[in-house]
Amino acid sequence: MAELDARRSEVLGRSASIIQRKVRSYLSRRSFITLRRSAIQIQSACRGQIARHVYENMRREAASLRIQRDLRMYIARKAYKDLCYSAISIQTGMRGMAARDDLRFRRQTRAAIMIQSQCRKYLARLHYKKLKKAAITTQCAWRGRVARKELRNLKMAARETGALQAAKNKLEKQVEELTWRLQLEKRMRADVEEAKTQENAKLQSALQEMQLQFKETKEMLVKEREAAIKVTEKVPVIQEVPVVDHVALEKLTIENEKLKALVTSLEKKIDETEKKFEETSRISEERLKQALEAESKIVELKTAMHRLEEKFSDIETENQVLRQQGLLQTPAKKLSERPPIPPTQSLENGHHLNDENKANEPQSATPVKTYGTESDSKFRRSHIERQHENIDALISCVTNNIGFSHGKPVAALTIYRCLLHWKSFEAERTSVFDRLIQMIGSAIENEENNEHMAYWLSNTSTLLFLLQRSIKAAGASATPQRKPPSATSLFGRMTMGFRSSPSSSNLAAAAALAVVRQVEAKYPALLFKQQLAAYVEKIYGIIRDNLKKELASLLSLCIQAPRTSKGSVLRSGRSFGKDSPLSHWQSIVDSLNTLLSTLKQNFVPPVLIQKIYTQTFSYINVQLFNSLLLRRECCTFSNGEYVKSGLAELELWSAQAKEEYAGSSWDELKHIRQAVGFLVIHQKYRISYDEITNDLCPILSVQQLYRICTLYWDDNYNTRSVSPGVISSMRVLMTEDSNSAVSNSFLLDDNSGIPFSVDDLSNSLQEKDFMDVQPAEELLENPAFQFLHE
């Protein structure tokens, strides 16, 4: 029983726990359903409240839209009434603008007709010059071809001795004729180039004037367009305005289109003119290169001819020696026996003299080497080949930069002493001068390197000075007794120096005579002197033009002062910063100092340095003055102060460089100095015409003064220019000058000529300055150049 009670109680406990769990789950499910129903009721209440709030907002927005509509209607009605009142004034302004455009179009049409006539004249002249140059070039090419053909025929006929002699004489005449023709062609080409330069300068001035007119027209159009845009921006656009004159608007539109077409045509003409100018410059450079190539070919032809002559003379000498050896019957014959004199004999320097020249020359001055029964090995190497080796050694030495000695170029003195010792100046025919000219021409091909060009300018000018002091034309008073006696053989005279007996009374004078000695020059030496002078002028022009090219880009930035944020021009003052107002002027000064230092380091004669800077300052004067006359924005008071401060920098540079190198460079800026002085002077309306021409600007012409006075405007103080009476006086004088056939051009021309002569260069140097100059050390070690030690 107890077990049954225990089991019953256990079953009842389990059933009670199960019933409790089921009751709890039922209660939790019922509470979840109640909470869900309450949440649904709350959500429906919130949605209704939100809908009512949105409805209220929509009602308020509809009311505000109605208020805005009424306000816009009121504003539009008021704007329409204002537009009706302003339409009349706008129409009046448009009619006035149309009348002004009509007048401007007529003026531009008249100017275009004048420009077209001048352009046609220029094209006709250019075509004529092209035909003339083409004819000259064709003639030169044809003559060169004929000469080459004859040279080939002569080479084929040169196998025989008689034919070779005849060909030699004929070829000599042809080479001389070609040389003189080349010189004549050079002179003609120089004249043509000078005329072309003048025409290009005139064309550039006309182009600048046309560009100025185009810029003024374009600026006026831009201003009118900006004014029209501003008016249209201020007034609202109304699509339908019954008072607008559509016919006038269409006419104005057509005239604007015509004006745009005219501006476009002017731009095309300017571009075409610039292209033609560039093409002309390129053609001139190509023709100059062709002329230089033709000259080099002629020089090569002459060199080949001289070598052929020397070989021919060598063959004749060997034939004569062989004949003499054949006549010798016994080896016991005396060596003092001399062979018959051949038609031509070799001298110490490898050149030849004919019988007539030998008759006029003392026998002791040119002894001939005796030939006997010596070994044949001594004759295998001719003296001509030895002389060629000496010339090659000299040229290979002086081609490099061998420096300076006591402020004088070593290469120039070495060349001069070698030519003097070899007696090349007195030779009728020689190839050493052509070799030297070829060497100088190939050495100056790098025209951009001012250091290299300054070195060769120093050498060529010094060598030209020595030739000018030494050479005298054939036929001058000279006695044979002045030639030093010599008893050495031909080979000995080539290896020993030329010794002259100095005066015992004055050793310094004897030393000076040992450096520079008077000789009676033949035609090759005189021609070499002319060619050397031409190279001096060419190198001088290259250095000057390089400096001008470097300054050209800077001068275009120096003519107008830089502006600040509010448009006011910067005041003048010395400042050397990178972004300072005078940075461009300082760049010009740096370029001048760099070139001056280069020329000083290479000991270029001061007279050439003076001429370089004189022409450079003249170029600066021309560029600045012409830009001042062609650009109205440059003729202002503040811009005058800016240019004046830059000119003060150039004046300071001239004072620092001293007169030895600067010369009269500062005086070349007189035009721009006087023009700038007029711009910066105050109270111009009180100045009379006599005060301007006599005190302020005495060097400027009436056209230049009139141009400056009419273009002037004060951007700082808004002061007036000269009085109307002064302007009318200038206009009357300009009319009188035009009637008297005086040039009406107010622009300056740049002079690109050579401002010095050989006499100027000769007078700037002294012979005593070369007494202590040492020759090239490389040649002193060569036994054939032992004469350089003396």
Side-chain angles (χ1 to χ4, degrees):
M1 290 296 291
E3 291 179 359
L4 291 173
D5 292 336
R7 290 180 180 176
R8 189 179 295 113
S9 61
E10 185 178 356
V11 171
L12 291 173
R14 290 178 181 176
S15 62
S17 63
I18 292 169
I19 292 168
Q20 287 177 1
R21 284 197 301 269
K22 289 182 178 181
V23 169
R24 288 187 191 122
S25 64
Y26 172 76
L27 291 175
S28 62
R29 190 180 300 111
R30 185 177 183 86
S31 62
F32 172 74
I33 293 169
T34 305
L35 289 173
R36 183 177 179 185
R37 287 177 181 174
S38 62
I40 291 170
Q41 291 176 1
I42 292 169
Q43 288 178 359
S44 62
C46 289
R47 286 172 185 158
Q49 188 177 359
I50 291 170
R52 286 191 297 272
H53 182 68
V54 171
Y55 176 72
E56 290 293 333
N57 289 338
M58 289 177 64
R59 289 182 63 187
R60 292 174 184 175
E61 185 175 359
S64 65
L65 288 175
R66 285 195 298 272
I67 294 171
Q68 291 177 4
R69 181 189 62 191
D70 296 337
L71 181 61
R72 289 193 191 96
M73 181 177 64
Y74 169 76
I75 293 172
R77 186 181 294 109
K78 187 177 179 180
Y80 174 74
K81 291 179 180 180
D82 293 338
L83 183 61
C84 289
Y85 290 111
S86 60
I88 298 173
S89 59
I90 294 174
Q91 291 175 0
T92 304
M94 295 294 288
R95 293 191 186 99
M97 186 171 64
R100 288 191 296 272
D101 290 340
D102 186 23
L103 178 61
R104 191 182 303 110
F105 175 73
R106 293 180 181 178
R107 290 180 178 175
Q108 289 178 352
T109 303
R110 190 183 308 155
I113 293 172
M114 295 177 64
I115 293 171
Q116 289 175 0
S117 62
Q118 294 294 330
C119 185
R120 292 191 187 98
K121 181 176 71 174
Y122 168 75
L123 291 176
R125 187 183 294 111
L126 184 64
H127 180 65
Y128 169 72
K129 289 182 178 180
K130 285 182 178 179
L131 287 177
K132 187 176 180 181
K133 290 181 181 179
I136 294 173
T137 306
T138 305
Q139 291 175 0
C140 293
W142 179 254
R143 290 168 185 159
R145 180 181 178 183
V146 172
R148 287 191 295 271
K149 185 177 180 180
E150 292 182 358
L151 179 62
R152 287 195 296 270
N153 296 332
L154 290 176
K155 285 183 178 179
M156 293 177 63
R159 297 176 181 177
E160 297 180 0
T161 305
L164 183 61
Q165 184 68 29
K168 181 188 70 173
N169 297 332
K170 188 174 181 181
L171 193 58
E172 287 174 1
K173 294 179 181 179
Q174 290 179 355
V175 170
E176 291 178 359
E177 184 179 359
L178 287 175
T179 304
W180 289 113
R181 286 181 180 177
L182 180 62
Q183 293 178 356
L184 181 61
E185 293 292 339
K186 284 183 178 179
R187 296 192 190 99
M188 294 175 62
R189 191 175 292 109
D191 296 337
V192 171
E193 290 293 335
E194 185 177 359
K196 185 188 69 175
T197 304
Q198 295 177 358
E199 289 293 332
N200 289 339
K202 292 180 181 179
L203 181 61
Q204 286 181 352
S205 62
L207 180 61
Q208 290 176 355
E209 292 178 359
M210 187 166 59
Q211 288 178 349
L212 179 61
Q213 294 177 1
F214 170 70
K215 288 181 180 178
E216 292 177 355
T217 304
K218 194 171 183 179
E219 289 176 357
M220 293 177 66
L221 285 175
V222 171
K223 289 180 181 179
E224 291 178 358
R225 288 175 183 173
E226 290 178 354
I229 291 171
K230 290 179 180 179
V231 172
T232 54
E233 288 179 353
K234 292 179 180 179
V235 180
V237 179
I238 305 301
Q239 294 181 356
E240 296 181 0
V241 179
V243 294
V244 176
D245 190 359
H246 295 284
V247 178
L249 287 177
E250 291 178 357
K251 186 183 295 183
L252 183 60
T253 305
I254 294 171
E255 290 178 355
N256 287 335
E257 294 295 334
K258 291 182 180 179
L259 190 58
K260 289 180 181 178
L262 179 60
V263 171
T264 306
S265 63
L266 286 176
E267 290 178 350
K268 290 181 179 178
K269 288 181 180 179
I270 291 172
D271 295 337
E272 290 177 357
T273 306
E274 292 178 351
K275 290 180 180 178
K276 289 180 181 179
F277 176 73
E278 293 176 357
E279 184 178 359
T280 305
S281 302
R282 180 179 57 79
I283 292 174
S284 62
E285 291 177 357
E286 291 178 356
R287 291 180 178 173
L288 181 60
K289 290 181 181 179
Q290 292 177 359
L292 293 176
E293 291 177 358
E295 183 180 1
S296 62
K297 289 181 180 179
I298 291 176
V299 171
E300 292 176 359
L301 184 62
K302 290 175 64 177
T303 305
M305 185 195 70
H306 287 307
R307 290 181 179 177
L308 193 61
E309 291 176 354
E310 291 167 356
K311 289 182 181 179
F312 169 69
S313 177
D314 192 14
I315 292 173
E316 283 190 347
T317 304
E318 291 180 358
N319 290 337
Q320 188 68 28
V321 171
L322 292 176
R323 292 194 194 98
Q324 184 67 24
Q325 288 180 355
L327 293 175
L328 297 175
Q329 297 178 359
T330 60
K333 202 167 184 178
K334 294 182 180 180
L335 293 177
S336 60
E337 220 172 285
R338 296 179 59 182
I341 300 176
T344 58
Q345 293 182 354
S346 299
L347 291 179
E348 54 161 24
N349 55 357
H351 310 305
H352 311 289
L353 292 174
N354 53 19
D355 296 337
E356 295 178 358
N357 293 333
K358 289 182 179 180
N360 298 330
E361 194 173 355
Q363 296 180 0
S364 61
T366 56
V368 182
K369 183 175 180 179
T370 57
Y371 298 95
T373 59
E374 297 179 1
S375 61
D376 296 336
S377 61
K378 293 183 179 180
F379 302 101
R380 292 177 183 175
R381 186 177 183 183
S382 65
H383 305 295
I384 300 174
E385 294 177 354
R386 295 179 184 179
Q387 182 64 16
H388 279 291
E389 292 178 357
N390 294 338
I391 295 174
D392 293 338
L394 173 63
I395 291 178
S396 63
C397 176
V398 300
T399 301
N400 303 321
N401 189 343
I402 57 178
F404 302 87
S405 175
H406 297 279
K408 301 298 176 184
V410 176
L413 187 66
T414 304
I415 293 173
Y416 173 75
R417 292 186 63 180
C418 290
L419 296 177
L420 197 64
H421 177 75
W422 294 336
K423 290 190 175 182
S424 300
F425 300 123
E426 305 171 11
E428 291 286 348
R429 300 177 185 86
T430 178
S431 62
V432 63
F433 296 131
D434 297 332
R435 298 283 302 278
L436 290 174
I437 290 297
Q438 289 180 359
M439 182 266 297
I440 296 174
S442 60
I444 62 174
E445 290 179 353
N446 186 12
E447 298 181 357
E448 302 297 331
N449 190 352
N450 283 337
E451 180 77 23
H452 187 66
M453 302 305 294
Y455 171 77
W456 281 106
L457 179 61
S458 177
N459 279 277
T460 53
S461 58
T462 303
L463 183 57
L464 181 61
F465 161 75
L466 296 174
L467 295 181
Q468 179 71 11
R469 291 296 180 89
S470 300
I471 290 178
K472 57 182 178 181
S477 59
T479 58
Q481 286 76 12
R482 290 186 180 182
K483 297 184 178 180
S486 176
T488 59
S489 64
L490 181 60
F491 180 76
R493 290 183 61 188
M494 291 181 60
T495 56
M496 295 179 61
F498 181 82
R499 296 180 175 87
S500 61
S501 58
S503 175
S504 60
S505 60
N506 195 343
L507 294 177
L513 289 175
V515 176
V516 179
R517 182 167 56 86
Q518 289 284 329
V519 293
E520 184 176 350
K522 301 298 182 181
Y523 173 76
L526 297 176
L527 181 60
F528 174 68
K529 178 184 172 183
Q530 295 177 0
Q531 294 173 340
L532 189 63
Y535 270 113
V536 171
E537 295 177 356
K538 180 180 179 181
I539 300 173
Y540 168 87
I542 291 172
I543 297 176
R544 178 199 61 198
D545 294 340
N546 287 342
L547 181 58
K548 286 184 179 180
K549 291 177 183 177
E550 187 177 355
L551 297 181
S553 58
L554 297 174
L555 290 176
S556 61
L557 302 174
C558 292
I559 188 57
Q560 189 173 5
R563 298 186 176 274
T564 57
S565 59
K566 292 184 179 181
S568 59
V569 181
L570 294 172
R571 294 292 181 183
S572 61
R574 295 205 61 196
S575 177
F576 299 97
K578 183 177 180 181
D579 299 329
S580 64
L582 295 180
S583 59
H584 303 307
W585 289 99
Q586 184 58 29
S587 300
I588 292 177
V589 174
D590 294 340
S591 299
L592 297 177
N593 286 329
T594 302
L595 181 61
L596 180 59
S597 176
T598 301
L599 297 177
K600 285 183 178 179
Q601 291 175 1
N602 290 276
F603 299 98
V604 177
V607 63
L608 299 183
I609 300 179
Q610 290 180 8
K611 299 301 181 181
I612 288 175
Y613 283 106
T614 299
Q615 286 195 311
T616 302
F617 273 63
S618 176
Y619 172 76
I620 295 174
N621 178 66
V622 170
Q623 295 298 320
L624 294 179
F625 187 75
N626 289 345
S627 299
L628 190 69
L629 297 183
L630 292 175
R631 299 169 60 181
R632 187 174 183 272
E633 62 271 14
C634 298
C635 285
T636 61
F637 180 84
S638 56
N639 193 71
E641 289 184 337
Y642 172 72
V643 178
K644 185 178 180 180
S645 62
L647 294 178
E649 297 294 333
L650 295 182
E651 184 180 10
L652 180 61
W653 179 88
S654 300
Q656 292 176 352
K658 298 180 181 179
E659 188 177 359
E660 180 183 3
Y661 299 108
S664 60
S665 301
W666 176 247
D667 296 335
E668 297 295 330
L669 300 175
K670 48 192 174 183
H671 288 84
I672 187 64
R673 284 162 49 196
Q674 293 182 9
V676 169
F678 175 78
L679 291 179
V680 299
I681 196 171
H682 295 279
Q683 297 180 351
K684 297 180 178 61
Y685 59 89
R686 295 184 178 180
I687 304 175
S688 63
Y689 176 75
D690 294 335
E691 291 176 350
I692 294 175
T693 56
N694 296 329
D695 299 333
L696 294 177
C697 307
I699 199 172
L700 301 184
S701 63
V702 181
Q703 291 85 354
Q704 294 167 350
L705 290 173
Y706 178 80
R707 184 78 178 178
I708 295 175
C709 293
T710 53
L711 292 179
Y712 172 78
W713 61 287
D714 193 350
D715 54 346
N716 285 348
Y717 309 107
N718 198 20
T719 59
R720 294 180 296 169
S721 182
V722 296
S723 60
V726 176
I727 296 293
S728 61
S729 301
M730 292 181 183
R731 192 177 293 112
V732 171
L733 291 175
M734 288 174 60
T735 305
E736 293 177 358
D737 292 342
S738 62
N739 295 333
S740 59
V742 181
S743 176
N744 294 326
S745 177
F746 53 82
L747 299 177
L748 299 178
D749 295 331
D750 183 26
N751 182 16
S752 300
I754 303 300
F756 64 89
S757 62
V758 180
D759 294 333
D760 296 336
L761 182 62
S762 178
N763 296 331
S764 64
L765 300 176
Q766 299 293 332
E767 299 176 3
K768 60 183 180 180
D769 298 336
F770 297 86
M771 293 173 54
D772 299 329
V773 179
Q774 298 297 327
E777 297 180 358
E778 180 181 347
L779 296 179
L780 294 177
E781 301 174 356
N782 194 335
F785 292 90
Q786 293 299 319
F787 59 88
L788 295 176
H789 289 281
E790 301 177 1

